[in-house]
Amino acid sequence: MVAKGQKRKLLEGRGAWESQLQSVLDISMEKFHRDQALVEPSLLRSVLISNTLRQVQSEVRAQVESLSSVKMPTKPQTHSGLEPDFPSGSPSSTEHNAPVFSLNDENSNTEEDVMAWTSEEDFSLSSAISVILKDLDTVIDAGQGPPRAPLGSVENLTGDARHTQYPPSSSRTERASNVVPSVKSEAACLGCPQDVVLEKLLLDIDTSVFEPEVNLLQGFSVTADDLVKYLPSLSKSPSASSSSSSSSHGQATWEIQEIEHVMDILMRTYPQS
Amino acid sequence: MEEESDSRKINNSFLRDHNYATEADIISTVEFNSTGELLATGDKGGRVVVFQREQESKNQPHRRGEYNVYSTFQSHEPEFDYLKSLEIEEKINKIRWLPQQNAAYFLLSTNDKTVKLWKISERDKRPEGYNLKDEDGRIRDPSTITSLRVPVLQPMDLMVEAMPRRVFSNAHTYHINSISVNSDYETFMSTDDLRINLWNLEITNRSFNIVDIKPANMEELTEVITAAEFHPHQCNTFVYSSSKGSIRLCDMRASALCDNHSKFFEEPEDPSNRSFFSEIISSISDVKFSHSGRYLMTRDYLTVKVWDLNMESKPLETYQVHDYLRSKLCSLYENDCIFDKFECVWNGSDSVIMTGSYNNFFRMFDRNTKRDVTLEASRENSKPRAILKPRKVCVGGKRRKDEISVDSLDFSKKILHTAWHPYENIIAVAATNNLYIFQDKVN
């Protein structure tokens, strides 16, 4: 149970960090765009806000890298990049020693917890983040452009676009203003797994990862139900945590993640030809 | 240190409604002159008000030299830059007095773009008996003049007049944040976000650029200059602070363009305190040399630091102004309070430093005893001539009777500008549109 408590705390801690990241990002973007609309934004303010945005960007990139390395566990450095302070060994992991796959306790514990992290919320967050990263590059570049004639900005104010600059930065600014709605919609997607987000997720994830799973299933003629039989403890264990935190929907999702995780293990244990 | 309060609200325009404060009255700078006889304030409406300390009289010993309005003038007007279609604010960013050399007083006042030298002089006599014009100024018909007379100076009511003597303009692309008079009393410098210019007080059509941190590509800009000051005794030395929390000391003898610093003061970041706002709160809002010239004081969002000029690696002393705000940085970022620029001042003997905070609080730190006190500049909470009561902010848990909790602080009441008399324990505190003057308790 220690592992589960740790997992919950880490989930909460990570959620707090994420929410702060999100609010800093939102506030910074709002200030940035508001200042851009001003006739003469304060240079000190602009520099501080864009430096904060850059910091958010680099933190997000670091997180996305660690998340993406989790999604594709073929990479050997996966586990080292994750939270190191996991207790090795837990009561639930001892029951994993079914003959189909060989796991050591540490591995299973880490991956199990990681897969619990990578709930649908996180998948949507990472996809949102990758979109936001692209936007940030655009926005930060546009922010440091030469001072523009304010008459131009006032004249070209439309309902959607905030401003237009004289060239050379005009195209970048328009792109920046155009991506504002998309950034906001991505932010709105967070926390609510939607089909749109999942589709984006699938596009993001390298689908070749899943191919060996398919092959494996065909080769072994193992169905999901069969695997679940081999993992009685896994199907039970989420109920302990889900009774206090996630809903039954979350529990089913968790099981699906577990199955995927098992597929990955199988893939590694029995490499495709 | 206990204080006797002598607070007053300064009203200096004819149309005034006592119930609300117009934005033009917001005080934006406060400065004593070198003798402490005069106190100047500048406001958002471009006005300068100068107070003079009245002579101490034996008849009224309890009125120990109070400050009265001496002169009021409109220093800067709102301008319009036609080339860029930008309005230039008339708000007075800084006032610096020149040392007194004759009967007149001189001060430099600046807004975002233009520095002006003002002469404030008294007139208590006027000449009477001109030949070519009447007493009311009308020209006399020369044919009616039969004899000549010598005009005679007659006494008149004291009149204080302020005249602009120099206008130093068109030298700054960005907003001026500081001016500093050199100890040679011949030159001064004006500082904007990216450049520092050196002027001769006599010459207005030319200035020398001594620091330029503008990158070739503005997209690479990550740091701006936030304040600068000349050394009080060495006329070749000055410092400037940056938005990244560093201070550079420069020697003008080294080269004409002082882009290379002689000394670089920066404290390494504390990794345990790292957050998204670490950089913003490290931005230095004010830098002041001590009167002795041995130390440097800097103000960033949460602390005041005293540096020894001989030690660049870390400050000598760090004082927490309002550390209880550290957990609230995200909301302070959201409501823009995190960008507030607080100033800091030394007392005459460099033993006490003072700076402002929120809720009309200001803080004093005694460098020798390591004691500190929080006081409030507010008419509601202190009567005139009553001793100021120390305030305390409660950080959590049980709140005692006189304490105020962090969540009850009024962030719109900020004390950004304070000044300390050069010799005595008299301080001036600007709270939005009110000026408070506090003196030491008389035993």
Side-chain angles (χ1 to χ4, degrees):
Chain A
M1 291 314 292
V2 175
K4 297 299 175 287
Q6 281 271 347
K7 202 194 314 181
R8 221 194 339 264
K9 257 189 252 171
L10 277 154
L11 272 169
E12 281 165 10
R14 193 154 177 278
W17 177 86
E18 273 169 15
S19 71
Q20 205 199 41
L21 176 96
Q22 187 59 44
S23 43
V24 171
L25 182 61
D26 288 339
I27 297 167
S28 304
M29 296 288 266
E30 191 213 323
K31 283 189 195 301
F32 179 81
H33 286 290
R34 197 156 24 106
D35 281 359
Q36 287 293 97
L38 279 180
V39 168
E40 202 182 10
S42 150
L43 200 61
L44 169 67
R45 216 179 121 93
S46 309
V47 162
L48 290 175
I49 292 170
S50 60
N51 285 353
T52 307
L53 275 172
R54 279 204 188 100
Q55 198 186 340
V56 167
Q57 186 184 29
S58 62
E59 298 253 349
V60 153
R61 277 218 177 100
Q63 277 296 319
V64 165
E65 273 168 18
S66 68
L67 272 179
S68 63
S69 62
V70 163
K71 278 183 250 169
M72 287 173 274
T74 46
K75 288 181 189 170
Q77 71 272 22
T78 308
H79 307 300
S80 56
L82 301 170
E83 303 291 314
D85 49 346
F86 264 91
S88 60
S90 75
S92 55
S93 64
T94 53
E95 297 165 75
H96 289 181
N97 292 327
V100 180
F101 40 90
S102 58
L103 297 166
N104 57 48
D105 292 350
E106 251 181 310
N107 251 0
S108 77
N109 207 21
T110 319
E111 288 179 55
E112 173 188 320
D113 294 318
V114 158
M115 293 315 278
W117 286 352
T118 53
S119 62
E120 284 194 3
E121 274 197 21
D122 288 346
F123 279 137
S124 64
L125 171 64
S126 64
S127 61
I129 284 168
S130 52
V131 173
I132 289 167
L133 279 175
K134 284 186 230 126
D135 299 341
L136 276 174
D137 274 337
T138 320
V139 156
I140 284 174
D141 284 346
Q144 305 295 355
R148 62 207 184 280
L151 276 178
S153 70
V154 168
E155 279 169 2
N156 295 323
L157 261 178
T158 63
D160 194 61
R162 301 288 181 95
H163 53 273
T164 309
Q165 292 186 7
Y166 290 155
S169 45
S170 56
S171 55
R172 276 180 293 171
T173 325
E174 280 183 343
R175 265 203 306 162
S177 54
N178 287 338
V179 301
V180 168
S182 66
V183 165
K184 289 205 167 107
S185 67
E186 286 304 328
C189 281
L190 283 174
C192 37
Q194 290 174 6
D195 292 340
V196 175
V197 178
L198 284 173
E199 274 175 56
K200 269 195 182 292
L201 156 73
L202 290 171
L203 287 170
D204 285 346
I205 295 173
D206 184 6
T207 50
S208 65
V209 174
F210 294 109
E211 283 170 10
E213 286 181 313
V214 174
N215 294 335
L216 202 59
L217 278 170
Q218 287 169 355
F220 278 80
S221 312
V222 171
T223 62
D225 289 335
D226 287 342
L227 279 170
V228 169
K229 268 189 267 170
Y230 282 111
L231 310 163
S233 57
L234 286 175
S235 57
K236 274 186 207 152
S237 49
S239 60
S241 56
S242 65
S243 58
S244 50
S245 51
S246 45
S247 59
S248 58
H249 170 67
Q251 184 182 352
T253 317
W254 193 91
E255 285 180 12
I256 293 167
Q257 306 309 325
E258 277 301 304
I259 289 159
E260 279 182 357
H261 148 75
V262 167
M263 289 294 121
D264 294 339
I265 302 300
L266 284 169
M267 191 181 65
R268 276 209 320 277
T269 319
Y270 303 92
Q272 73 216 71
S273 53
Chain B
M1 168 163 69
E2 288 172 353
E3 302 283 316
E4 167 191 294
S5 80
D6 171 19
S7 66
R8 59 185 62 199
K9 178 177 178 179
I10 308 301
N11 292 327
N12 48 32
S13 76
F14 7 88
L15 291 169
R16 181 57 51 92
D17 183 332
H18 287 266
N19 295 328
Y20 71 91
T22 53
E23 206 175 298
D25 298 330
I26 294 175
I27 299 172
S28 48
T29 183
V30 189
E31 186 82 359
F32 279 100
N33 76 336
S34 49
T35 60
E37 183 200 351
L38 298 179
L39 174 68
T41 62
D43 65 23
K44 213 161 177 237
R47 276 173 312 212
V48 172
V49 181
V50 180
F51 302 89
Q52 185 187 43
R53 195 177 187 194
E54 62 186 26
Q55 300 296 324
E56 293 182 25
S57 70
K58 296 200 179 79
N59 301 335
Q60 295 178 312
H62 66 278
R63 291 172 66 88
R64 288 187 326 139
E66 294 185 353
Y67 284 83
N68 301 315
V69 177
Y70 180 63
S71 171
T72 306
F73 55 93
Q74 186 76 31
S75 171
H76 287 71
E77 297 272 4
E79 282 172 45
F80 197 74
D81 181 341
Y82 293 98
L83 212 55
K84 294 186 195 170
S85 287
L86 294 174
E87 201 177 272
I88 300 170
E89 247 190 41
E90 68 273 29
K91 173 169 79 98
I92 308 293
N93 292 335
K94 283 280 161 27
I95 289 175
R96 290 287 182 263
W97 290 93
L98 264 59
Q100 197 172 3
Q101 290 174 313
N102 51 36
Y105 305 102
F106 289 88
L107 62 80
L108 287 172
S109 73
T110 184
N111 68 348
D112 284 339
K113 297 284 185 179
T114 306
V115 185
K116 291 188 186 179
L117 176 69
W118 286 88
K119 175 182 176 183
I120 303 163
S121 50
E122 293 179 8
R123 194 196 288 260
D124 61 356
K125 295 181 183 56
R126 67 186 182 121
E128 283 178 14
Y130 281 106
N131 291 295
L132 293 175
K133 56 180 180 179
D134 285 338
E135 293 310 318
D136 41 9
R138 269 181 306 179
I139 309 287
R140 286 168 75 188
D141 182 7
S143 57
T144 63
I145 300 172
T146 52
S147 61
L148 289 177
R149 56 181 177 173
V150 177
V152 176
L153 286 175
Q154 299 290 347
M156 58 178 259
D157 291 335
L158 179 66
M159 190 170 73
V160 180
E161 49 184 19
M163 284 175 299
R165 300 298 291 189
R166 305 268 189 280
V167 178
F168 306 91
S169 57
N170 297 324
H172 287 281
T173 312
Y174 305 97
H175 290 180
I176 298 176
N177 52 52
S178 320
I179 45 175
S180 179
V181 183
N182 204 348
S183 50
D184 63 5
Y185 305 148
E186 283 183 10
T187 56
F188 74 95
M189 67 173 171
S190 55
T191 309
D192 67 29
D193 293 318
L194 298 178
R195 297 193 179 99
I196 302 181
N197 291 331
L198 183 72
W199 304 80
N200 184 305
L201 282 163
E202 301 294 326
I203 300 169
T204 60
N205 58 5
R206 198 159 40 136
S207 71
F208 293 96
N209 177 243
I210 53 176
V211 173
D212 189 341
I213 65 166
K214 184 178 177 200
N217 184 0
M218 277 295 273
E219 291 176 11
E220 293 165 2
L221 180 67
T222 55
E223 193 173 7
V224 298
I225 302 174
T226 52
E229 199 183 40
F230 269 117
H231 190 279
H233 311 306
Q234 297 164 18
C235 57
N236 52 280
T237 306
F238 65 94
V239 293
Y240 67 93
S241 59
S242 84
S243 57
K244 284 199 171 169
S246 63
I247 308 107
R248 288 169 178 82
L249 185 135
C250 301
D251 188 332
M252 292 198 290
R253 295 170 301 189
S255 67
L257 191 59
C258 300
D259 278 355
N260 296 321
H261 49 263
S262 303
K263 295 196 182 187
F264 181 76
F265 300 84
E266 194 177 46
E267 187 174 23
E269 197 187 348
D270 179 5
S272 64
N273 268 337
R274 185 159 165 69
S275 75
F276 288 116
F277 312 105
S278 295
E279 189 182 307
I280 300 184
I281 63 169
S282 73
S283 173
I284 292 174
S285 50
D286 195 16
V287 64
K288 290 262 170 51
F289 274 103
S290 64
H291 290 94
S292 61
R294 281 185 57 196
Y295 303 105
L296 201 57
M297 169 163 58
T298 58
R299 175 72 155 100
D300 51 63
Y301 190 62
L302 296 178
T303 70
V304 191
K305 296 183 174 143
V306 176
W307 302 76
D308 186 323
L309 284 189
N310 297 318
M311 184 165 69
E312 301 165 54
S313 54
K314 61 183 168 83
L316 202 59
E317 299 147 24
T318 301
Y319 300 93
Q320 302 292 335
V321 182
H322 37 217
D323 200 54
Y324 44 80
L325 298 181
R326 199 178 285 272
S327 54
K328 307 216 175 289
L329 291 177
C330 198
S331 355
L332 293 167
Y333 180 53
E334 194 174 11
N335 65 14
D336 280 346
C337 281
I338 210 174
F339 298 107
D340 286 336
K341 290 194 264 188
F342 292 95
E343 291 170 10
C344 52
V345 287
W346 298 87
N347 74 336
S349 57
D350 298 336
S351 60
V352 182
I353 57 182
M354 173 168 71
T355 188
S357 178
Y358 293 105
N359 208 73
N360 281 344
F361 287 169
F362 57 99
R363 304 261 283 137
M364 286 189 203
F365 303 93
D366 190 319
R367 293 178 62 215
N368 299 324
T369 65
K370 301 299 178 199
R371 279 172 49 217
D372 62 270
V373 68
T374 305
L375 300 168
E376 185 178 0
S378 130
R379 268 172 300 147
E380 288 81 35
N381 290 331
S382 61
K383 300 195 180 89
R385 300 207 172 73
I387 294 173
L388 286 178
K389 202 171 57 171
R391 317 295 295 184
K392 195 146 166 27
V393 177
C394 155
V395 255
K398 290 192 186 147
R399 186 180 75 88
R400 293 210 193 96
K401 202 181 116 194
D402 286 333
E403 289 181 1
I404 181 165
S405 72
V406 183
D407 300 313
S408 314
L409 292 174
D410 189 343
F411 288 95
S412 66
K413 295 189 183 157
K414 46 194 95 173
I415 292 185
L416 304 172
H417 313 287
T418 58
W420 204 307
H421 190 286
Y423 307 117
E424 300 186 33
N425 280 337
I426 304 173
I427 57 175
V429 175
T432 320
N433 63 322
N434 293 327
L435 180 71
Y436 292 83
I437 299 175
F438 301 106
Q439 299 187 18
D440 224 0
K441 185 163 101 85
V442 184
N443 287 318

